[in-house]
Amino acid sequence: MAQTANILGPARNRVDGRAKVTGAAKYSVEFTPPKCAYAWPVESNIAKGKIAAVDAKEAQAAPGVLAIISHLNAPKPKEPAAKKERNSGHGIRNEERLPFGDDEVHYAGQYVALVVAQTIEQARYAAGLVRVTFTPEEPLLTMKAAEDKAKKPETNHDEHVQLKKGDVDATLTDSGLTKIEQTYITPTETHNPIEMSGTIAAWDGDKLTLWDATQFVKGVQSIVSRAWNLPTENVRVICPFVGGAFGCKGAVWPHVLAASMAAKAAGVPVKFHVRRQDMFTSTGHRTPTEQTIALAATRDGKLRAMRHVTNTLTSTVGEFTESCGARSTGVMYDSPAIRVEETVFPVNVSTPTFMRAPGECPGTYALECAMDELAVALKMDPVQLRLANHADNHPIKNVPFSAKHLRECYQVGAEKFGWAKRNAQPRSMRDGGLLVGWGMATKTYPAHKMNAAAKVILRADGSATVQCATHDLGTGAYTAFTQISSEQLGIPFEKVTFELGKSDFPFGPVAGGSNSTATVGTALHEVAGLLHNALAQLAVKDSKSPLYNEKADDITMVEPGRIGLKNAHAKSDSYIDILRRAGRDSIEVQSELKEPEENKKQSFQSFGADFVEVKIDPLLPRVQVTRVVSVINCGRVVTFKPARNQIIGGVNMGIGMALMEATEYDPQTGLPVIRNLADYHVVTNADAPVIDVTFVGEPDFAFNPIGCRGIGEIGITGAAAAVANAVYHATGKRVRDLPITPDKLLDIA
Amino acid sequence: MNPFSYTRAVDPQQATSVIGSNASAKILAGGTNLIDLMKMGVERPTQLVDINRLPLTQIEELPNGGGVRIGGLARNSDVAEHPLIVQRYPVLSQALLAGASPQLRNLATTGGNLLQRTRCYYFYDPAFPQCNKRQPGSGCGALNGFNRIHAILGQSEQCIATNPSDMNVALAALDAVVQVQGAKGARSIPIGDFHRLPGDTPNIDTNLQADELITAVDLPAIPFATRSHYLKIRDRASYAFALVSVAAVLDLQNGKINGARIALGGVAHKPWRAQKAEAALQGQTADEKTFRAAAEAELAAAKGYKHNSFKIELAKRAIVRALSTAAAMA
Ligand SMILES: Cc1cc2nc3c(=O)[nH]c(=O)nc-3n(C[C@H](O)[C@H](O)[C@H](O)COP(=O)(O)OP(=O)(O)OC[C@H]3O[C@@H](n4cnc5c(N)ncnc54)[C@H](O)[C@@H]3O)c2cc1C
């Protein structure tokens, strides 16, 4: 039963919508402090070796040039030598090395010099005049080449990635079971938000202001202040709007520190706007994966063993694990034996990073394709197979999932899609000359909660300003937080102004892992309690208040705009009256930052299901997705419209992953050959089908007082598998290396 | 990007005299290809001659039923929507609409589209040390590199780049004539002689001389061109360059092929006129078997590389489909 009404918040329009469509919304690199100069990078076009010489004479003499930095002369941050100490605060530096730190080249596209000039054109021209010569060495570019250096990390951000439960190997040799084993390959994918990364650095003595396109203002503040060995508060970070990120603005990349170094060298503020082509080498990407999955099940489809072995790449200057198995097979189905292995191969390619659902996204692609192959082997309906293996408990932690409604996702999705009319036989369904395929897959993403604090300023006119150093990546966070603030504080939506994107505000965590709404929402719940208490303190001392002489602790919000006695609601007073009688223009409260309580008795995870239809011309086989039904179980949905947008965007990105996205590299130089939006194909409107989104379930109050679990990433999970499964159903051909471009289907005719 | 001077041409003569006297001057039309390449550091003109104010935007009938003239500055979107083109040369309208995006087509011009340069990664990005087109003698990075979008017909060991245009493919099938004006006068270049195969000089894309301005493109009167079709196969539904494309024009009489004009895109350094296929179709019955035989004849000489061999079969199928579609037209 869909309990939609229970979980859906109001369908608010975006509070920042008007500012965005009119251009009034100012993004980080659109700020221009007085005397601002511009940086342009010079890059390595070899993947490994040493910088032999930097000849900047001609460039130095070019018009407008203020400074040229390289490893020879860059102002060196005085950062702590020990890695542990460098990383003791907040934030992540995916590339461990300092930009211009030495003469080593670790990947093609590495910044080896930076030109600062008065205009961007002058900087670009002069950058072309800097002659850097290299002494190349043989690079490692593939898993095979880096075999000797492969590592098996135990954990990834404190989460175990090598999992073992039951006897997988023995079960996989049991001849009474139905088995499949296949390898699935995904290519490098690049985030490509429309707003490129960029930083403006402005020094004022030993104080530094950074306007930075980031998912983590407090992280940037922490990393940069530690690098320069400055008190944290000496570095201010400003980022009111982000034009998409998908993970590539989560860590601190070389351009951020480089901008601060260049501004120091040039003696003026410096703007370093990363070029689109450098978004393919300098701000991370999703690592390519090679995943081998073995499944064994009884004749009636009960899983007895699952093995998920993943190989991925990382760079030689940063560690990154895309934990595909732990985040898909490790959470999805009820199986007595599970084994997950992850191996990481360091190569001379720039460092990969989080990209929307890191681990879950490629992991669910492989797992959900494997489940489809198992369903075929068992002659079982794919939905039935998944229902037969539904996990009430977390398969590894063995504690119950909280507010899990995955069965309902399958049921509602199948009904809306018309799944019952599916003929299981591949190539059996047609639309004129086109092959029609129906596929489905399960979606999943964990519920993450970090820590945050918030501040409220309530004014006597009944309006409030709420602040937290959180972020809006274009997701609608401004709107969601305005909505939560309004509900929790008891102040009309129109009277709440929510401010974010400044390191001056109380702590907000990285806008990653789909945690922001749950984390900041919890902080807003807490600060609302503080506000109500502060008002109560005023009221109980005010002889004119109906609450005079009551105990402040007995008082709570009884209706929007009023506090009153917990067990005698009629005895109440309004916020405005309390402030006016106290002669106060405003009242201000701020919550404390505390570690979130860990609930070990339950597991918090979102689920969903995608049902996809594709149509394919068998002779000219470009796959067209014609219909998607997506059903999501993610707790409470704070604001319906942006939430629906997130799922639609995620599914479309999954379609892109399935059918067209791939960053290819030149096998000789190690440079990406795909480095612009003409060549890197993401879905266009013509590729994007109608996506029917439904939210089911109940608020997850065991997780947090708002009841929400986050929605930014679950949309992309499973989607590529559902498309790939539909392609199999349409054609009878199983393509196991993404993307499924026309050339891979030529033999289906 | 290098510093350059900017001149706004007041008449065609001035434009040709500037480009005739300064070897590193370039005409600026829509700028959608040139400016991009200047930013990449591939094109390094010292002077730009902006021709956008010149009166070369006409789309009009030539006298005495002689076909249609398209001005060198006519925008791709205007050409695509013009009734003369839509009614008489649907293949050209379809080809233009299959290219780029509406925003780009609003800027892109007929002359600029004819001269747009290859999208070969190794040409487009000077970070790659090898490209004989960009730097003669440096080698071909694509030959042993990532060559999925590269040529299968008419290429050389020096260069396996393709001409990326959709419009040019339709023009090739329509036997268009490029009208140019040089410092010393005007001349006409048949479309088949306009673009070149790479041979040993892949750095030279076309036979246009340094002092010549494209003033117009003439389409001859082809009554049967109403039976024509443009088919583009690409990696996504819109806004992608062709993996393979086909412009097909069929002269059908009582189910027999009286004449066929076929050109292929995405397969060669120039829009590839499929003369072998055309010859194989002459006088035959318009059916799939005939079309397939014609396609086989054309692609017999094709050669693929590590990532693009699929284009050979794809091109054959595209030819069959384009011809079938044209044949089925009312
Ligand atoms: C993202 C993207 C996607 C694209 N996709 C496609 C596609 O799918 N299919 C397709 O066909 N094209 C595509 N294009 C290319 C587009 O069609 C060309 O960029 C456009 O046609 C060039 O025309 P222009 O007027 O802007 O030329 P410009 O950039 O102004 O000029 C190009 C060249 O022609 C010269 N020139 C221009 N006019 C004259 C003249 N009258 N006489 C002499 N020389 C002249 C210039 O000097 C320059 O060398 C795409 C482009 C982009 C950027």
Side-chain angles (χ1 to χ4, degrees):
Chain A
M1 247 288 291
Q3 303 173 38
T4 321
N6 178 12
I7 53 165
L8 279 199
R12 297 276 185 207
N13 287 333
R14 293 186 181 219
V15 293
D16 52 347
R18 193 187 171 84
K20 286 199 171 163
V21 298
T22 56
K26 216 165 171 183
Y27 290 77
S28 297
V29 294
E30 294 181 315
F31 290 82
T32 305
K35 295 202 188 135
C36 187
Y38 296 81
W40 200 268
V42 181
E43 296 167 8
S44 74
N45 64 351
I46 61 161
K48 182 170 165 54
K50 288 210 162 44
I51 304 169
V54 180
D55 176 0
K57 258 194 240 91
E58 201 185 340
Q60 197 76 59
V65 172
L66 301 174
I68 299 174
I69 60 173
S70 69
H71 70 288
L72 299 172
N73 65 345
K76 290 270 174 338
K78 308 179 234 4
E79 64 172 2
K83 181 173 163 187
K84 207 167 158 221
E85 206 179 318
R86 284 205 302 274
N87 297 340
S88 60
H90 301 290
I92 300 164
R93 207 158 89 195
N94 261 42
E95 189 173 316
E96 262 303 321
R97 173 183 180 276
L98 276 177
F100 317 113
D102 53 38
D103 63 350
E104 300 274 343
V105 175
H106 302 272
Y107 57 90
Q110 181 181 315
Y111 300 141
V112 293
L114 194 67
V115 175
V116 180
Q118 275 159 353
T119 70
I120 195 161
E121 290 81 8
Q122 290 169 335
R124 176 165 57 195
Y125 171 59
L129 300 176
V130 178
R131 316 248 172 271
V132 182
T133 36
F134 299 98
T135 313
E137 292 162 27
E138 192 60 40
L140 301 177
L141 294 174
T142 60
M143 287 181 195
K144 202 163 174 17
E147 230 158 32
D148 296 349
K149 307 230 152 91
K151 282 187 225 154
K152 284 184 182 277
E154 267 316 308
T155 56
N156 180 20
H157 296 279
D158 302 332
E159 157 205 10
H160 287 277
V161 298
Q162 318 281 355
L163 307 177
K164 217 168 167 181
K165 167 184 168 185
D167 193 342
V168 169
D169 290 342
T171 316
L172 283 174
T173 56
D174 181 341
S175 58
L177 298 174
T178 303
K179 280 161 282 188
I180 63 115
E181 175 158 19
Q182 292 296 347
T183 299
Y184 304 89
I185 291 177
T186 65
T188 300
E189 292 149 7
T190 306
H191 311 72
N192 277 313
I194 289 303
E195 180 206 31
M196 278 96 75
S197 297
T199 307
I200 302 165
W203 288 96
D204 176 6
D206 65 350
K207 296 211 165 78
L208 176 64
T209 304
L210 298 170
W211 289 265
D212 186 37
T214 178
Q215 292 171 244
F216 196 7
V217 287
K218 289 282 191 180
V220 174
Q221 176 189 44
S222 178
I223 295 262
V224 175
S225 60
R226 271 175 291 134
W228 287 103
N229 219 348
L230 293 169
T232 311
E233 57 286 357
N234 278 26
V235 176
R236 291 185 68 218
V237 183
I238 301 169
C239 178
F241 295 98
V242 179
F246 310 115
C248 74
K249 294 168 185 162
V252 174
W253 292 95
H255 66 272
V256 181
L257 285 168
S260 70
M261 292 156 84
K264 190 150 251 192
V268 290
V270 168
K271 189 184 289 199
F272 186 172
H273 197 185
V274 176
R275 301 180 295 173
R276 174 63 64 190
Q277 69 189 88
D278 295 337
M279 297 289 292
F280 289 80
T281 47
S282 305
T283 58
H285 52 263
R286 194 195 301 282
T287 183
T289 75
E290 201 183 274
Q291 303 174 61
T292 302
I293 297 191
L295 302 175
T298 59
R299 302 301 299 272
D300 56 355
K302 270 299 298 160
L303 282 166
R304 306 304 302 162
M306 308 174 78
R307 187 171 62 206
H308 193 150
V309 177
T310 305
N311 294 332
T312 62
L313 299 181
T314 189
S315 78
T316 56
V317 283
E319 278 167 34
F320 186 81
T321 307
E322 180 99 12
S323 15
C324 296
R327 293 178 178 183
S328 57
T329 300
V331 294
M332 198 74 106
Y333 297 114
D334 182 27
S335 169
I338 293 177
R339 192 148 91 234
V340 166
E341 288 175 23
E342 308 274 347
T343 308
V344 183
F345 299 75
V347 292
N348 293 107
V349 175
S350 61
T351 311
T353 192
F354 328 97
M355 179 163 156
R356 206 173 200 170
E360 294 86 0
C361 171
T364 53
Y365 156 66
L367 172 62
E368 290 300 289
C369 285
M371 285 295 281
D372 201 63
E373 302 211 41
L374 182 63
V376 171
L378 289 162
K379 297 196 171 61
M380 198 168 169
D381 178 79
V383 178
Q384 293 308 318
L385 175 64
R386 285 160 173 92
L387 284 169
N389 293 290
H390 183 273
D392 294 330
N393 288 352
H394 189 292
I396 302 293
K397 296 181 191 154
N398 202 24
V399 293
F401 284 115
S402 170
K404 177 172 177 177
H405 292 265
L406 177 56
R407 285 195 186 89
E408 205 172 315
C409 295
Y410 296 133
Q411 183 198 326
V412 171
E415 221 159 83
K416 287 195 140 195
F417 188 82
W419 186 257
K421 295 197 211 82
R422 179 178 186 260
N423 181 339
Q425 188 61 36
R427 294 182 83 104
S428 62
M429 295 172 68
R430 304 242 167 185
D431 173 9
L434 304 178
L435 299 168
V436 176
W438 289 3
M440 60 80 57
T442 312
K443 305 166 86 71
T444 193
Y445 193 82
H448 289 302
K449 191 165 63 181
M450 301 180 189
N451 44 12
K455 180 199 249 185
V456 179
I457 303 153
L458 171 70
R459 284 172 288 267
D461 64 1
S463 71
T465 298
V466 186
Q467 296 172 332
C468 174
T470 180
H471 318 81
D472 187 329
L473 309 184
T475 50
Y478 269 115
T479 311
F481 294 141
T482 306
Q483 174 66 28
I484 296 175
S485 300
S486 161
E487 286 168 9
Q488 296 293 320
L489 298 168
I491 296 172
F493 185 83
E494 301 70 31
K495 296 216 155 192
V496 176
T497 305
F498 193 89
E499 296 180 342
L500 50 69
K502 258 192 200 158
S503 61
D504 305 345
F505 296 154
F507 188 86
V510 61
S514 302
N515 90 91
S516 290
T517 311
T519 306
V520 178
T522 303
L524 294 174
H525 172 80
E526 281 164 16
V527 82
L530 296 181
L531 177 73
H532 299 142
N533 188 261
L535 288 166
Q537 303 284 359
L538 289 179
V540 297
K541 286 184 219 123
D542 177 356
S543 59
K544 298 211 181 71
S545 171
L547 299 169
Y548 181 58
N549 270 343
E550 297 288 351
K551 280 210 207 89
D553 287 351
D554 292 343
I555 293 171
T556 185
M557 181 173 91
V558 290
E559 61 180 85
R562 298 188 78 83
I563 51 169
L565 287 184
K566 280 178 188 158
N567 37 24
H569 282 193
K571 215 170 183 192
S572 70
D573 200 350
S574 89
Y575 304 172
I576 295 177
D577 290 343
I578 295 169
L579 287 182
R580 288 208 180 125
R581 285 194 311 265
R584 301 274 296 259
D585 291 337
S586 67
I587 184 169
E588 193 176 304
V589 293
Q590 179 167 339
S591 66
E592 303 254 316
L593 192 59
K594 36 179 202 260
E595 281 302 315
E597 287 159 40
E598 209 184 334
N599 178 336
K600 292 202 165 150
K601 296 201 193 91
Q602 277 169 301
S603 193
F604 302 98
Q605 181 96 13
S606 290
F607 291 93
D610 279 342
F611 293 80
V612 166
E613 176 183 84
V614 300
K615 292 187 179 171
I616 306 171
D617 179 334
L619 282 167
L620 304 170
R622 186 181 57 74
V623 177
Q624 182 80 38
V625 178
T626 47
R627 213 152 60 84
V628 177
V629 171
S630 196
V631 187
I632 308 291
N633 157 222
C634 61
R636 181 166 176 248
V637 175
V638 172
T639 46
F640 175 65
K641 282 188 177 180
R644 184 170 162 271
N645 282 169
Q646 282 300 302
I647 303 305
I648 289 175
V651 170
N652 274 318
M653 213 163 161
I655 293 171
M657 171 185 179
L659 301 180
M660 58 193 84
E661 292 194 36
T663 303
E664 302 286 353
Y665 292 81
D666 175 46
Q668 280 156 58
T669 58
L671 273 168
V673 289
I674 306 289
R675 283 182 96 178
N676 60 51
L677 285 180
D679 295 329
Y680 189 86
H681 294 150
V682 299
V683 290
T684 64
N685 280 326
D687 299 288
V690 171
I691 299 173
D692 176 342
V693 179
T694 309
F695 294 100
V696 299
E698 62 188 308
D700 192 347
F701 290 124
F703 184 51
N704 65 58
I706 311 300
C708 65
R709 289 200 295 240
I711 42 164
E713 286 159 279
I714 189 168
I716 195 175
T717 68
V723 174
N725 294 340
V727 170
Y728 168 76
H729 181 239
T731 65
K733 181 174 183 194
R734 190 67 75 172
V735 179
R736 300 188 185 88
D737 59 325
L738 298 185
I740 309 174
T741 42
D743 46 311
K744 295 181 187 168
L745 291 173
L746 277 184
D747 54 354
I748 63 161
Chain B
M1 192 186 253
N2 284 6
F4 57 86
S5 65
Y6 171 90
T7 310
R8 180 178 283 153
V10 291
D11 55 40
Q13 289 72 19
Q14 189 208 359
T16 55
S17 81
V18 174
I19 53 174
S21 58
N22 176 0
S24 61
K26 279 253 167 207
I27 299 285
L28 175 67
T32 61
N33 191 222
L34 179 60
I35 301 293
D36 210 13
L37 288 166
M38 286 168 67
K39 287 184 179 170
M40 292 300 296
V42 176
E43 301 271 19
R44 299 164 164 269
T46 57
Q47 185 175 13
L48 287 187
V49 189
D50 183 348
I51 60 167
N52 279 285
R53 304 257 173 118
L54 299 187
L56 298 172
T57 58
Q58 76 279 27
I59 301 165
E60 61 194 16
E61 286 189 86
L62 289 165
N64 310 321
V68 169
R69 170 162 291 179
I70 301 168
L73 261 182
R75 306 286 161 179
N76 286 178
S77 46
D78 292 336
V79 179
E81 304 292 351
H82 199 281
L84 282 175
I85 307 299
V86 174
Q87 283 155 22
R88 296 189 192 175
Y89 309 98
V91 68
L92 176 57
S93 174
Q94 291 166 15
L96 285 163
L97 293 176
S101 64
Q103 293 89 333
L104 282 159
R105 296 196 293 269
N106 286 341
L107 268 175
T109 63
T110 306
N113 198 328
L114 270 169
L115 292 173
Q116 68 167 293
R117 309 207 66 185
T118 184
R119 308 301 289 203
C120 171
Y121 319 115
Y122 298 87
F123 169 75
Y124 225 89
D125 189 346
F128 292 109
Q130 290 189 312
C131 175
N132 287 324
K133 188 181 277 300
R134 189 162 32 79
Q135 209 167 2
S138 60
C140 173
L143 208 53
N144 298 309
F146 185 69
N147 47 33
R148 183 166 180 270
I149 63 168
H150 290 78
I152 53 171
L153 287 165
Q155 69 274 27
S156 70
E157 289 287 295
Q158 309 335 308
C159 181
I160 60 170
T162 56
N163 183 302
S165 167
D166 292 297
M167 180 191 84
N168 294 349
V169 184
L171 293 184
L174 292 170
D175 281 325
V177 176
V178 183
Q179 304 294 352
V180 307
Q181 185 182 326
K184 290 189 217 83
R187 66 177 180 128
S188 306
I189 311 175
I191 186 79
D193 298 333
F194 188 81
H195 298 95
R196 295 161 58 102
L197 288 179
D200 290 333
T201 52
N203 52 317
I204 309 172
D205 285 355
T206 71
N207 288 317
L208 193 74
Q209 298 303 305
D211 65 336
E212 286 176 331
L213 176 77
I214 297 171
T215 53
V217 171
D218 290 352
L219 302 176
I222 309 175
F224 56 84
T226 49
R227 185 185 290 285
S228 64
H229 183 66
Y230 187 73
L231 175 66
K232 180 174 182 181
I233 317 292
R234 44 188 152 176
D235 282 326
R236 61 180 169 188
S238 120
Y239 201 21
F241 287 95
L243 291 168
V244 165
S245 71
V246 181
V249 182
L250 263 190
D251 181 7
L252 271 195
Q253 262 155 36
N254 305 321
K256 287 261 190 265
I257 301 163
N258 199 36
R261 300 176 184 200
I262 305 168
L264 307 181
V267 296
H269 196 261
K270 61 187 280 187
W272 187 262
R273 185 68 183 258
Q275 279 156 341
K276 293 200 186 87
E278 291 173 9
L281 292 171
Q282 194 64 39
Q284 303 293 311
T285 309
D287 61 22
E288 219 173 286
K289 215 175 118 218
T290 312
F291 298 155
R292 181 75 199 186
E296 294 286 353
E298 190 61 48
L299 275 300
K303 172 178 173 352
Y305 298 88
K306 184 164 181 197
H307 305 100
N308 75 345
S309 294
F310 72 91
K311 281 190 177 182
I312 299 172
E313 173 60 21
L314 192 61
K316 291 178 192 171
R317 291 189 195 174
I319 290 173
V320 174
R321 178 65 59 79
L323 288 168
S324 306
T325 308
M329 286 173 74

